[in-house]
Amino acid sequence: MAIELTKFSNLKITTKVNLPDYKFIKPLISNRNRLEGLPRTDEFDRTLRAEVADPLWMLCRQWQLGEFQGEDAGTAYQAKILSEHQQPGLVQFKENSFAYDASASPLEPFIENEGPDIDFYLRLQMGRQFCKFLKDSALQDLQPDFSRQYPLTADVHAEDREALYLTQSVGDSMPDGYQLLQAIEDGSYASFVNHLPAIAATTAEQLIGEVAPQFEKWFHYLYPSHNDHKNAWMPNRMQYNFGMELPHPEGRQTVILDAEAYVSGKIDWMTFDENRKPLNSTRPATDKPETLVQTFMPTPLQYSGMPHPRFWQMEDSRVDLGKIQTGTSGLLSLLVAEYGLTYSNDWFVLPYEMQMNTLCEVKGIMVTDVFGQNILVEPTFKDPEMNWHEFACFRHTERQNLTSPRNRFYLAPASYKIQQGDPLEQINFMRDEMTNMVWAIESIVPSAAGGNRQIKANAKRYEEQFTPADPEAKIRYLLGTSVPENWIPFVPVHKDLARQEVRLQRARIPNAPPPLSKLLTEQPPGKHLIEEEEVPRAGVIVKRSYKRTRWLNGATFLWIGRTKTTGKGEGWSGLMFDQLLPIKSAE
């Protein structure tokens, strides 16, 4: 009997069955709308062959998409690069020029050159090393004589607990190593040794000819920048300003690579801008830059996720260009997908090698394809149709608008990696609009025991307990509130011959102690000036810390460098003048 599907719902079952067997008798209609493979074999040889059932259909699709339109475009197999090289040999800062050899030293310690602080820890370290040399020469019995002649004294801050413990533990057992070094350099050391009581001539010669040279060599090897006090730090700008002078002038002008705002501690090509200055006739220049022609075999550009040419070669799963999710406004994502899926095989790489401390200008690239055609590729700004935007990667900013711009790149002799210790000093320059001044807050200062110590001074603005002369008085007059000792004010002062422009001058709260950091004491009182624009509303944080690196020749460099970063915003010191305050009762 034929029953329509629409009448299945009207069917009724009158047969009496047990409840557990009811599910097997109840009518059930199932519908399938998906076809799935059901493999019945353990071998997949035929599946992996990827057989094409209708190759004519695939050919038609290729014809529709225009894949049969061949182009007479040969593959590049050779490229020649014409370039000019220059090597700066002079470094300019503070209106002086210094010879620089990139093979002997990286640029960071040469620019940030700052020797160690002569504190109690350094004097003790040097004295202990001198006593080691005495022991190695079997002259340790003379250590008390040197300790009496060069006593180790310390001026330690009362809150520097580690330094107090160190001075108490050392006492007068060690000589002052820094005084010993100065005595060796000025010749008084030899006079002292020769006048020691009951000293043999051989012993005196051993102290002067062996121990003293070893001590000097050890110190200058460990601290190579001690006697060289030149650096490019500008206190009024709180940054390093220097320039690299090129040996070849252009148009009766000297080309300078300026770095006027170096504060990051890491030098790279973007640190420098190209500038021109009048020619210095005292230093003759060579005729022309060095011209080089190098030949390469172009290598196809590769990147993660790039489509592979082989059918069964899988791409990198970390990059899936087909899953880029973007909208109509995501032009950058669309360009990346367009490049990766369409034009990725049209780019080649030429590994151009350069020596460090070299300014390179690529004049052009001659590309030869497999058909023997030579194609000259010039910089983009030389094309009359493209010079309106002058696109160029790794191009230095030109301080002066030149009629013929140059496409140059400077490979700076910078350290690959620098080890940096904890900051010796940290100063937070903060604007206080309520008092119309800038505060330099010393949060970290050097410790006489080596390293640093933190300052947390939370002083009261005024004494709340006050006993008036008149018991009936209800108010009192306060001349001014106080601030913590580590808050050093910088007040605005007029610039020379200027009425509207101001600078920030370091001042001092009455009866307050002087600053403890070198950043605030290296300039004499009254002459420590900072340009107003160097402290924005966000403030700045300046740090001093030890740095260490190794160079190509294996030499080790240890110096102190400075960095400047963005501050923590504005603040209020709580400083107020001419206040009338209520008198609180003692209850």
Side-chain angles (χ1 to χ4, degrees), residues 67 265 303 409 545 552 554:
E67 296 184 6
Y303 56 90
F409 171 75
S545 58
L552 305 176

Side-chain angles (χ1 to χ4, degrees), residues 249-262:
E250 298 178 3
R252 302 300 300 172
Q253 288 183 328
T254 302
V255 182
I256 304 292
L257 295 176
D258 272 337
E260 294 186 354
Y262 166 56

